[in-house]
Amino acid sequence: MSLRTTSPAYVEDVSPGRGTLPPRAWYASSDAPALSLNGRWRFRLSATADAEDDSFADPGYDAGDWAEIAVPGHWVLQGHGAPIYTNHLYPFPVDPPHVPTENPTGDHLRVFDLPDGWPADGGAVLRFDGVESCARVWLNGTELGEFKGSRLPHEFAVGHLLEPAGNVLAVRVHQWSAGSYLEDQDQWWLPGIFRDVTLLHRPEGAAGDFFVHASYDHVGGAGTLRVDSEVAGRVTVPELGVDIATGEAVTVPVEPWTAETPRLYDGVLATPGERVPLRIGFRTVVLEDGLIKVNGRPVLFKGVNRHEWHPERGRALDPETMREDVLLMKRHNVNAVRTSHYPPHPAFLDLCDEYGLWVIDECDLETHGFVEQGWRDNPVADDRWTPALLDRAARMVERDKNHPSVVIWSLGNEAGTGRGLTAMAEWIHGRDGSRLVHYEGDPDCRDTDVYSRMYAFHDEVERIGRGLDGGTRKRRELPFILCEYAHAMGNGPGGLADYQRLFESYDRLQGGFVWEWIDHGIRHPELGFAYGGDFGEELHDGNFVCDGLVFPDRRPSPGLAEFKKVIEPVRIEGDGGGTVRVTNRYDFADLSGLAFTWSYEVDGEMVESGPLSVPASAPGESAEVKLPRPPADAPAGAETRWTVRARPAKATAWASEDHVVAWGQVPVTERPVPSVAPSARPSASGGVIHLGPASFDPRTGALLAVGGMEVADLRLDVWRATTDNDNGAPWQPDARYGLLWRKLGLHRMRHRLDGVDSTGEALTVRTRVAPAASDLGLRTVYHWTSDGERLKLAVSVTPEGDWTLPLPRLGIRFGLARADAVTWFGGGPGEAYPDTRAASMVGRWRSTVDDLQTPYVRPQENGARADVRWAELGGLRIEGDPVFWFSARRWTNEQLDAAEHLTDLTAGDTVWVNLDHGQMGIGSQSCGPGVLPRYHLRAEPAAFAFVFSEVGG
């Protein structure tokens, strides 16, 4: 007796599979019956691909002792095995097309009855919208075939096998297969039937495949409609008075579809056996004058890369979650999505059509792991794999070709180069000439219509914009997009506004797509959200899977608020001269859909507001708009400003009338600098030094209290819990400042007291702050004065030695007890740093200490508020000269730095307050560029001051 230890042949076959029907257009519904087979399925997990025989597929098999799981779903998220996260490394030996014998295999069983009224005539199709990574299928004991291509639809003809009741659907799913080599995307490896399973009745004369061609002539304002159909029929569009045969073209006046004005016309394709609803958007996409143009106008992509993700269900998304994504995007001024790195659930594209988003639809192809061996044996350069590549291209294009939102096809991602990609591009160009083709890994643009890059630094992007990038002649004549930029991992991304200025300065630069939309954290009972390594993976890439603009539960991050502001479609600027300049940054829409308001603020609080009349400027146009007269009774010596906001003139499908689309602030008068006239003199009694409302330790000069508020451990602070972007990427070792700071010892600075002088009207404390094992230091002097009621601290810092590194932060830190409510006048409501401050609106804000924190999945520096004039907490008022960065938390920076998950942080009795004169920028060096030099915090002489007083004192 021999024991089988090899995989079944089909698992390691490079072909896409057998038994499936040709790919065709996907549509959500028709008048033909359909039966969802989603729900609870019986499930059995085996350790290898051949551990069990096929008898489970036979009718009458007793699976009563099997587990149950939800379909759609991933078995590793339902208590069977564990997920694995790698960025690009294959979690199995790279020996294509072979996979390990240890190949988790899930047998799925579903018994179903046909519903009452299911027609007895005609055929039926069984459709799987997504299964990872290889599936073998039986119905009522008859094998239908097997398939690969996880994020693509596959259908089987099953009408001849159906019974009125007791139908047995059996599916064997293998985690690893030859197809896994083509699916090495940066995401969790999650096997299972994770998209819908549906039985579709196919009556005689049912619609087969069809292609809706709906172009738009921007000169004449007419649309031309033609529907090519595998089964002849008629197409009607009542609103347009259209009634034509399939294959016949008609031209009529229409309103075009764009991402800004997503006009759809309802129609019907009627064949002899079926009526299929159509949602038709007229638009034309061309490459013209070296630019991507839609309906005759260049477009600027303000986009995101979107993986499908849910923190409990993984890639098994429900319609509500998909809609939530689209609504969040629209409300944050996002106008484009790259479906990284596979076609999404088709219902997501329906939403993009409806609400308006440009889409780069990307094929389910990535072979990134082959980079580790110099791309040797890369499947896209091996002709044996070309049929599988072409199958994936066809399944994407045929499924999604009727969506007006899809304007560009993408061959895949990070798959090197090879003849297989050329074959895909040629097939797509031949099948659909109405869209462009994209692939970032084609540096010469031999097969593509767009020059695309990832994470090009700002200076290189500017060279490209100016046409100084070199390359082939074809490439130099093509538009440029950043298909990935501004890596949104942890705190960040920084530098968004700097990229946007470039995009808006050079026509050739047609925008980009932030990496990425959502953190892929998995909800965990002990860790909060888990990331790579939290499930015992031997090989993993840590929290690199958490690099999104929204947290795993879809709460927007500060990065998304920053992106919204940077890409807002209306620019509002002014210099305090009584007018504002309003610029329309839309590509298609005028400003008639927006209503503008003004408010006048005194010391951060609104005192008057009203509507502002703004012309309905066309795209690209600007208007000078006069503001009202400032209120006559504005108090003297106050800081005043105008804030102008743009909101929808009426509620839209994605936003209410109070939603703010864009805003701008115009300063009028500046604040008076806080001053304290020294009059109180230091005096000693009761073992302490008294100066105005404060008491000090006579030996060390340390501040002990202000009024009735105890103050702990006030000292210079230069350390921050390093961000993912501080720690940087291995391929940029000279700028991984987090590691360099730690090597220098900035996380363990030592403080030497050089002297305490309490003569005259001041208490002066002289110190030297320095890292161990280094001759570098910061000579720091604390100079305290008081007028009897208020206490002023003037800090001077003088670097000693050759400081070549920038500092993480520079300011003071101290502890307060009993602090909770916080009020401040400055930037808000959310956090900001030197290169992430566009969304910081100056005003008067209120919060709790807990709500000041930003819950990054891996804890790190967060929560700073910019341009703070004054802050109040714990009964203490703090004013700054100049304005300062403010943060407060219930743990120290060192405790924050040591935490790996939010659950590692335990709130103490002390609130630790940072008042920073300067902060280092953020950048996006976890994968992209580091902090631009102008946002570095250089170690150079600095002087700053704070005034402390009791609230109401």
Side-chain angles (χ1 to χ4, degrees):
M1 178 179 178
S2 63
L3 180 66
R4 289 181 60 195
T5 58
T6 59
S7 298
Y10 67 89
V11 172
E12 297 183 336
D13 190 340
V14 299
S15 72
R18 62 182 178 85
T20 57
L21 295 170
R24 64 184 178 100
W26 187 93
Y27 48 90
S29 64
S30 77
D31 64 351
L35 175 64
S36 172
L37 298 178
N38 296 346
R40 305 297 296 178
W41 289 49
R42 290 290 183 175
F43 176 78
R44 175 181 65 186
L45 181 63
S46 302
T48 65
D50 60 349
E52 302 286 348
D53 61 27
D54 305 339
S55 61
F56 80 103
D58 296 333
Y61 183 89
D62 183 6
D65 59 346
W66 288 20
E68 282 192 355
I69 63 171
V71 171
H74 306 277
W75 69 69
V76 294
L77 297 182
Q78 300 184 65
H80 304 276
I84 300 169
Y85 168 61
T86 60
N87 168 29
H88 73 278
L89 298 174
Y90 290 104
F92 49 80
V94 183
D95 182 24
H98 304 297
V99 294
T101 299
E102 300 92 347
N103 187 356
T105 295
D107 289 335
H108 300 68
L109 271 179
R110 176 79 151 86
V111 178
F112 65 94
D113 300 334
L114 295 180
D116 293 340
W118 187 273
D121 60 335
V125 165
L126 177 64
R127 183 176 69 214
F128 295 88
D129 281 314
V131 182
E132 182 176 329
S133 74
C134 173
R136 186 180 178 191
V137 185
W138 296 261
L139 180 62
N140 292 331
T142 298
E143 183 176 354
L144 304 179
E146 75 274 341
F147 61 86
K148 308 178 189 77
S150 297
R151 270 68 73 172
L152 294 161
H154 295 84
E155 294 182 329
F156 296 95
V158 297
H160 60 295
L161 299 174
L162 289 174
E163 301 290 344
N167 292 282
V168 178
L169 176 58
V171 186
R172 174 164 287 170
V173 180
H174 307 285
Q175 174 155 18
W176 311 122
S177 69
S180 301
Y181 285 99
L182 303 180
E183 297 171 4
D184 190 25
Q185 294 97 340
D186 176 12
Q187 61 181 348
W188 294 95
W189 298 88
L190 298 174
I193 305 173
F194 67 94
R195 286 186 185 159
D196 305 290
V197 182
T198 313
L199 182 69
L200 302 168
H201 178 58
R202 299 285 78 207
E204 187 71 26
D209 188 27
F210 60 91
F211 197 161
V212 177
H213 304 274
S215 61
Y216 179 71
D217 176 7
H218 66 279
V219 176
T224 299
L225 174 66
R226 188 185 80 248
V227 178
D228 296 332
S229 178
E230 180 182 1
V231 176
R234 297 198 68 80
V235 176
T236 55
V237 187
E239 187 177 355
L240 297 176
V242 169
D243 185 346
I244 55 174
T246 53
E248 179 183 335
V250 62
T251 300
V252 292
V254 297
E255 298 174 47
W257 188 97
T258 74
E260 295 166 8
T261 56
R263 182 66 160 94
L264 293 173
Y265 291 90
D266 290 325
V268 173
L269 166 63
T271 64
E274 187 176 18
R275 292 174 58 85
V276 180
L278 305 177
R279 303 210 77 192
I280 302 166
F282 291 88
R283 57 106 187 94
T284 295
V285 183
V286 297
L287 179 64
E288 183 179 79
D289 303 323
L291 298 173
I292 304 166
K293 292 185 179 181
V294 179
N295 302 338
R297 298 186 61 89
V299 296
L300 183 62
F301 294 118
K302 303 170 183 178
V304 295
N305 286 276
R306 175 187 176 269
H307 269 295
E308 295 184 301
W309 188 250
H310 188 281
E312 287 95 22
R313 299 190 297 273
R315 288 188 286 277
L317 295 193
D318 57 278
E320 291 74 22
T321 299
M322 290 184 266
R323 187 177 299 272
E324 185 178 356
D325 276 346
V326 172
L327 293 176
L328 275 171
M329 290 175 190
K330 293 292 291 187
R331 290 167 185 164
H332 288 85
N333 296 327
V334 172
N335 73 356
V337 178
R338 176 178 174 231
T339 69
S340 54
H341 297 293
Y342 42 83
H345 191 292
F348 179 77
L349 298 179
D350 286 341
L351 294 167
C352 294
D353 295 342
E354 178 183 353
Y355 290 99
L357 289 167
W358 308 116
V359 174
I360 295 181
D361 199 357
E362 191 149 87
C363 195
D364 189 10
L365 172 62
E366 181 166 336
T367 64
H368 198 177
F370 285 91
V371 71
E372 296 295 316
Q373 54 198 61
W375 296 105
R376 186 180 69 254
D377 298 327
N378 186 9
V380 304
D382 184 337
D383 292 343
R384 294 177 301 165
W385 295 81
T386 299
L389 303 182
L390 290 173
D391 179 76
R392 289 173 183 243
R395 290 187 182 279
M396 172 183 69
V397 171
E398 302 296 5
R399 191 195 77 167
D400 296 342
K401 59 182 177 283
N402 295 326
H403 289 281
S405 57
V406 176
V407 293
I408 296 175
W409 301 115
S410 180
L411 304 181
N413 183 68
E414 292 177 317
T417 59
R419 295 181 299 277
L421 289 164
T422 298
M424 293 171 70
E426 290 176 348
W427 185 90
I428 293 174
H429 276 122
R431 175 59 174 148
D432 179 19
S434 68
R435 295 177 174 93
L436 307 183
V437 171
H438 163 274
Y439 177 62
E440 181 271 340
D442 182 9
D444 295 332
C445 301
R446 179 185 61 184
D447 301 323
T448 55
D449 304 309
V450 181
Y451 178 30
S452 176
R453 288 284 305 281
M454 295 180 182
Y455 307 108
F457 288 16
H458 296 78
D459 55 351
E460 183 182 2
V461 171
E462 182 163 22
R463 289 196 302 273
I464 294 170
R466 298 172 62 191
L468 303 177
D469 55 303
T472 63
R473 177 178 178 180
K474 179 184 178 184
R475 191 180 86 179
R476 294 196 306 271
E477 294 174 347
L478 292 179
F480 175 80
I481 64 170
L482 279 167
C483 67
E484 294 180 22
Y485 81 113
H487 197 251
M489 185 175 179
N491 188 333
L496 280 170
D498 305 275
Y499 273 120
Q500 195 65 22
R501 278 192 288 270
L502 294 172
F503 297 158
E504 295 177 3
S505 298
Y506 300 97
D507 290 343
R508 186 189 183 193
L509 307 180
Q510 293 198 251
F513 297 78
V514 169
W515 185 266
E516 64 158 305
W517 176 242
I518 189 168
D519 288 343
H520 300 201
I522 295 176
R523 198 178 296 279
H524 192 282
E526 298 172 1
L527 303 176
F529 290 112
Y531 49 77
D534 288 334
F535 296 95
E537 307 103 299
E538 295 178 344
L539 184 69
H540 66 85
D541 286 291
N543 69 313
F544 201 70
V545 76
C546 294
D547 45 16
L549 291 171
V550 298
F551 297 122
D553 57 5
R554 284 179 165 74
R555 282 180 295 168
S557 76
L560 183 57
E562 178 79 358
F563 192 43
K564 174 189 177 181
K565 175 60 179 170
V566 165
I567 62 174
E568 62 188 5
V570 182
R571 190 72 40 78
I572 302 168
E573 302 165 304
D575 58 7
T579 63
V580 290
R581 185 177 181 84
V582 179
T583 303
N584 182 350
R585 299 300 309 177
Y586 283 113
D587 292 326
F588 297 92
D590 65 24
L591 297 186
S592 62
L594 297 176
F596 292 79
T597 59
W598 60 266
S599 62
Y600 190 75
E601 290 136 24
V602 176
D603 287 338
E605 292 196 307
M606 184 183 71
V607 295
E608 284 192 23
S609 64
L612 185 67
S613 178
V614 175
S617 305
E621 290 184 350
S622 297
E624 299 289 336
V625 180
K626 189 171 181 57
L627 292 165
R629 283 183 171 275
D633 57 349
E639 180 178 356
T640 60
R641 64 178 26 80
W642 298 98
T643 300
V644 176
R645 295 174 174 86
R647 296 182 173 91
K650 59 182 180 179
T652 70
W654 50 269
S656 63
E657 291 181 34
D658 60 356
H659 171 75
V660 176
V661 174
W663 58 270
Q665 291 189 299
V666 181
V668 180
T669 59
E670 296 184 358
R671 69 164 184 147
V673 175
S675 62
V676 172
S679 59
R681 300 175 68 88
S683 62
S685 66
V688 298
I689 294 177
H690 298 282
L691 178 61
S695 58
F696 297 83
D697 185 311
R699 184 178 62 85
T700 64
L703 178 66
L704 300 176
V706 176
M709 292 155 293
E710 294 183 0
V711 178
D713 200 24
L714 187 148
R715 58 173 56 189
L716 189 79
D717 194 12
V718 299
W719 181 248
R720 72 185 188 193
T722 54
T723 69
D724 293 313
N725 289 307
D726 287 339
N727 293 332
W731 52 88
Q732 300 179 55
D734 295 338
R736 301 183 72 184
Y737 289 116
L739 278 62
L740 297 172
W741 292 333
R742 207 176 295 275
K743 181 178 180 181
L744 180 59
L746 298 188
H747 61 307
R748 45 178 172 77
M749 300 289 276
R750 299 293 181 260
H751 298 251
R752 187 184 75 206
L753 178 64
D754 287 341
V756 179
D757 182 0
S758 61
T759 60
E761 296 176 328
L763 175 68
T764 302
V765 181
R766 297 181 302 278
T767 68
R768 187 176 189 271
V769 183
S774 171
D775 63 350
L776 301 179
L778 298 170
R779 188 72 65 176
T780 306
V781 177
Y782 307 93
H783 188 74
W784 299 93
T785 58
S786 175
D787 61 4
E789 293 184 354
R790 297 186 299 161
L791 178 72
K792 180 177 180 180
L793 167 63
V795 183
S796 65
V797 180
T798 304
E800 295 181 339
D802 184 16
W803 285 84
T804 59
L805 290 178
L807 296 173
R809 70 175 350 127
L810 180 66
I812 61 169
R813 180 182 73 175
F814 57 88
L816 288 177
R818 303 183 307 278
D820 184 35
V822 183
T823 303
W824 74 98
F825 175 25
E831 74 180 25
Y833 291 84
D835 56 350
T836 66
R837 64 191 302 169
S840 183
M841 177 186 287
V842 175
R844 195 173 297 195
W845 307 101
R846 293 169 179 81
S847 177
T848 63
V849 169
D850 292 340
D851 287 343
L852 289 176
Q853 315 310 309
T854 303
Y856 294 113
V857 173
R858 187 193 73 81
Q860 54 198 273
E861 165 63 31
N862 73 89
R865 268 57 179 181
D867 301 317
V868 175
R869 282 78 165 146
W870 56 258
E872 295 177 351
L873 76 162
L876 188 67
R877 180 181 174 92
I878 307 157
E879 301 170 81
D881 177 19
V883 297
F884 58 98
W885 306 85
F886 170 82
S887 57
R889 51 181 65 99
R890 299 189 188 278
W891 35 78
T892 65
N893 294 332
E894 291 75 18
Q895 290 168 329
L896 182 63
D897 193 33
E900 295 294 330
H901 296 86
L902 289 171
T903 51
D904 295 335
L905 293 169
T906 302
D909 295 330
T910 301
V911 170
W912 293 97
V913 180
N914 275 94
L915 311 177
D916 292 317
H917 177 61
Q919 275 269 3
M920 177 74 167
I922 296 296
S924 65
Q925 201 189 346
S926 50
C927 193
V931 178
L932 291 172
R934 60 179 166 275
Y935 303 121
H936 282 200
L937 178 59
R938 304 190 184 282
E940 55 192 16
F944 48 95
F946 302 100
V947 176
F948 300 88
S949 60
E950 293 185 77
V951 175

